[in-house]
Amino acid sequence: MILVLLLLAFSSPTGRAQMQPPAQAQGDAGLPDFSGFNLIDSFARLPAERTNLSTLCDVRRASIDEITGNIEGALTRADESADPAAAVRLHNAMGVVFLYKGDIAGAIPQFEEGVRIAHQHSTEDPKFAAMESIDLAALGIAHMRRGEVENCAIRHNADMCIFPLSLAARHTLRSGSERAIEYFKRYLEREPSSLEIRWLLNIAYQTLGEYPDKVPKAYLIPPAAFESKENIGRFVDVAPALGLDKVGDAGGSIVDDFDNDGFLDIVESSFDPCQPMRAFRNNGDGTFSDVSERS
């Protein structure tokens, strides 16, 4: 059984808002949500009118500020010796918030602290072993995300992060995937039936060019599982050559001839209400110009 770490706001007898981090059991559904969306959304006070993106952006930012302040305050007041379980959950929640904000460097020490505290008390109660496992998984995911940012985003090329990974898609900065592998293996020693972490472990080895040879046999997903009966060729990222390589959260897109010049233009939105829509005008020569500021 795995524990999902949740945080609920409640009022103390003095009326002061505090953080109460109860543990909720989770069975076959898998690992808890490390994205932070559920945690942040639990603090969102959505207005009745939800078509104004500026208002939704303000709500999102206020939710992030509130949950961050509440957890920081709770960590300041927390007595690790008196309630180590609460301390572990609070550090986990703080790490999840950092991951949501894209601050991987801030998230990792929080999960490490959770592992440290849980390990110290692992012989006292079985729940601490489960808590330690969760933070081991979180550390693996955080380091894997670090590797993706350092390689897929910052050192992007046309083959990067397109599955199955080619030689050109291998990570030249290897530390992120190497540390992820370390933590995933430690997790699987405790939870060997976790298909989620097995999958991530195999992908991490692929990013280093070490799949399948160096994947421990007990956790190997055989190459046949990645094969397809149909040959559809390989996708290639042509966005840089077309002028469409913009960084943002994936949303929706519309392709239409918006300026009636006979060429298809592109308008895209973001999942994040704080990010603006973008408009790209077709130049008629196979490239696009970002005309968002003029649209």
Side-chain angles (χ1 to χ4, degrees), residues 204-216:
Y205 274 108
Q206 288 187 27
T207 66
L208 301 178
E210 297 177 350
Y211 171 90
D213 297 340
K214 292 190 177 182
V215 182

Side-chain angles (χ1 to χ4, degrees), residues 115-128:
V115 168
R116 180 191 66 80
I117 299 171
H119 185 73
Q120 285 182 346
H121 298 273
S122 59
T123 59
E124 301 171 8
D125 190 316
K127 69 183 179 184
F128 287 105

Side-chain angles (χ1 to χ4, degrees), residues 177-212:
S177 288
E178 288 174 342
R179 293 301 305 277
I181 288 170
E182 172 191 337
Y183 286 113
F184 289 153
K185 288 196 294 187
R186 289 174 62 183
Y187 179 89
L188 287 168
E189 289 172 359
R190 300 158 170 265
E191 303 284 346
S193 63
S194 173
L195 291 178
E196 293 169 276
I197 297 301
R198 280 185 64 192
W199 168 265
L200 292 176
L201 177 72
N202 280 258
I203 297 299
Y205 274 108
Q206 288 187 27
T207 66
L208 301 178
E210 297 177 350
Y211 171 90

Side-chain angles (χ1 to χ4, degrees), residues 159-181:
D159 289 293
M160 192 65 74
C161 290
I162 297 178
F163 189 82
L165 301 180
S166 67
L167 178 63
R170 293 178 184 175
H171 290 188
T172 55
L173 294 182
R174 298 167 58 89
S175 172
S177 288
E178 288 174 342
R179 293 301 305 277
I181 288 170

